[in-house]
Amino acid sequence: LQALSLFIDQLDSEAYVMRMAMVEVIGVLIYFLMTQEDRSENVKAQTKSLFAALEERCYDVNSFVRSKTLHVFCDLAK
């Protein structure tokens, strides 16, 4: 997850397709962290910060990104 900091800047990219891809990546990372046996405080903090980043995308200017974000939230709820 340390390498994520290199990619997280892409959430503010001009290209909505890149923002959509980053939303998908964040969803996969959240799923990965939630399925781990290790539930340390560090993992919980990382999961919480990823959820916050995902929640920010609900207010994106592009409707495709907002739609992808809701789709990722629905997939995580399953």
Side-chain angles (χ1 to χ4, degrees), residues 10-53:
Q10 297 302 318
L11 280 173
D12 296 325
S13 173
E14 291 289 322
Y16 77 92
V17 176
M18 182 61 78
R19 294 194 310 270
M20 287 175 57
M22 288 307 300
V23 164
E24 188 75 30
V25 168
I26 290 172
V28 170
L29 287 173
I30 290 171
Y31 180 78
F32 174 76
L33 289 173
M34 290 174 61
T35 57
Q36 295 299 304
E37 303 249 343
D38 175 27
R39 301 294 262 181
S40 67
E41 290 301 317
N42 186 31
V43 171
K44 289 179 185 178
Q46 287 175 339
T47 304
K48 189 174 182 178
S49 67
L50 288 172
F51 265 117

